[in-house]
Amino acid sequence: MKMTKIFAVAALATSMGMAGSAWADCGLKPSVPDLPADGATVSSKEIGEVAKKFDEYQAKFVEFNECATKEFNDTSEKFKEVLETYSAKNKKK
């Protein structure tokens, strides 16, 4: 059982390492928009552009996050199935 836990932790660490890269079907994580460092220096006209850029980023990020979460959950389920069949095989011995 200890080996199973080690394998599970290793698999999780490997999948977490993909956080900044492309996921199989989700594409690349959206780039963070260039936001002003200080809102006090932004004009009324500029704040509209800033809000628009953020809204676009938010929509893309939500889509990416939903896809990545689904992919992770699907992979996690597959991993559990592999562990279960591996464990069952070793119990027969």
Side-chain angles (χ1 to χ4, degrees):
M1 188 65 159
K2 187 174 183 171
M3 184 59 124
T4 302
K5 287 181 182 179
I6 292 170
F7 187 60
V9 170
L12 179 61
T14 300
S15 67
M16 295 302 286
M18 292 183 64
S21 61
W23 290 73
D25 296 324
C26 301
L28 294 175
K29 182 181 80 160
S31 298
V32 175
D34 186 26
L35 300 176
D38 182 4
T41 63
V42 178
S43 70
S44 296
K45 182 178 178 182
E46 291 170 326
I47 197 66
E49 269 305 304
V50 169
K52 180 181 174 187
K53 287 179 184 177
F54 180 79
D55 287 347
E56 290 170 357
Y57 164 75
Q58 181 180 15
K60 289 176 185 176
F61 191 87
V62 166
E63 184 178 327
F64 171 82
N65 190 49
E66 288 173 352
C67 178
T69 298
K70 181 185 180 315
E71 184 174 312
F72 178 80
N73 290 340
D74 290 350
T75 303
S76 197
E77 284 300 314
K78 177 64 179 164
F79 178 67
K80 287 177 189 175
E81 291 172 14
V82 169
L83 286 178
E84 287 174 7
T85 56
Y86 173 80
S87 294
K89 172 188 83 165
N90 287 329
K91 285 180 183 180
K92 292 178 185 177
K93 291 182 178 182

